[in-house]
Amino acid sequence: MTTAAMNLGAPAPARALPVLNTCCTPTSAMGDDDATSLAGMFKALADPARVKILSMLLNADEVCACDVSAGIGKTAATTSHHLKLLRDAGLVTGDRRGTWIYYRVVPERLAAIRDALSLGPVEH
């Protein structure tokens, strides 16, 4: 048997992993609860209709659900579904007045998205 044939079943020698410089490793990471909450908000915004709804709400103090439907060109049932997902993610809130619900954004939740996407200070 040749040397090459004998080495086929042998594991490859382990390679040393590169050593990371301390300046290149993150000094802190987001907690699990914050990451889960943020992922839920991103998931809620992963649809063009919901992005359009949020844009409408950002450009007004509040918007009636009937106007949201017309603004995004969807049926009332589809709009209601999208608004529910945005509500469940905590991005919008609404108040019932008679038969209609008036929606507005939750500024603190939008601030959380903004903060998560902003670059922190670079340290060297």
Side-chain angles (χ1 to χ4, degrees):
M1 187 177 265
T2 66
T3 306
M6 291 188 323
N7 288 336
L8 287 177
R15 292 189 295 167
L17 295 174
V19 176
L20 298 176
N21 295 327
T22 57
C23 69
C24 299
T25 56
T27 55
S28 66
M30 181 181 294
D32 289 346
D33 290 341
D34 290 338
T36 300
S37 175
L38 192 61
M41 287 187 278
F42 284 132
K43 185 176 179 180
L45 291 172
D47 183 277
R50 293 190 290 272
V51 172
K52 287 171 70 174
I53 291 170
L54 198 61
S55 175
M56 287 177 66
L57 295 174
L58 286 169
N59 288 298
D61 290 335
E62 62 184 14
V63 178
C64 178
C66 61
D67 295 327
V68 173
S69 224
I72 65 169
K74 304 286 184 186
T75 65
T78 299
T79 301
S80 178
H81 169 75
H82 287 304
L83 285 165
K84 179 188 181 319
L85 293 176
L86 290 170
R87 268 194 327 265
D88 290 349
L91 293 169
V92 302
T93 188
D95 294 317
R96 181 173 294 280
R97 296 184 202 145
T99 58
W100 295 109
I101 300 176
Y102 290 81
Y103 289 92
R104 65 190 163 282
V105 297
V106 178
E108 299 82 15
R109 298 291 279 177
L110 296 179
I113 292 173
R114 182 198 63 228
D115 293 346
L117 294 176
S118 67
L119 296 175
V122 177
E123 298 177 20
H124 288 289

